[in-house]
Amino acid sequence: MALVTFEIPSRPLKIIIDEPNGRHGRDNITLASGSGKVEAGTVVGKVTATDKFKPYDNAASDGSEVALGATLYDADATSADALVTDVPGIPLIVF
């Protein structure tokens, strides 16, 4: 018998593997202009001075050093703020 291999196609919201029952929360957040191109699954923190989000940065001291969620979709906040959906609290995620 020959070994058969196949590739599982990409699926929407592929970063989420599982969420506890009753915890299917989603938030729409604003990525701050200058954050660049942010890929789905990017962990984000909130800048306290603006209440806008940017990619998590452990070395920062503006609030983005606290991981608050992960983006569900790609977004481009290179030269303007961008609205994106995130999962607050970071459930089980695959990177």
Side-chain angles (χ1 to χ4, degrees), residues 20-51:
N21 289 337
R23 300 198 181 199
H24 300 278
R26 305 286 184 268
D27 286 335
N28 289 321
I29 62 169
T30 301
L31 289 173
S33 178
S35 295
K37 292 185 178 183
V38 177
E39 293 184 12
T42 299
V43 176
V44 293
K46 187 191 311 188
V47 178
T48 53
T50 63
D51 282 339

Side-chain angles (χ1 to χ4, degrees), residues 37-87:
K37 292 185 178 183
V38 177
E39 293 184 12
T42 299
V43 176
V44 293
K46 187 191 311 188
V47 178
T48 53
T50 63
D51 282 339
K52 295 179 183 177
F53 289 75
K54 69 180 194 178
Y56 168 80
D57 181 358
N58 190 51
S61 60
D62 61 0
S64 64
E65 72 277 10
V66 178
L68 293 179
T71 59
L72 289 179
Y73 304 98
D74 296 343
D76 187 355
T78 302
S79 59
D81 290 348
L83 189 64
V84 68
T85 303
D86 87 324
V87 180

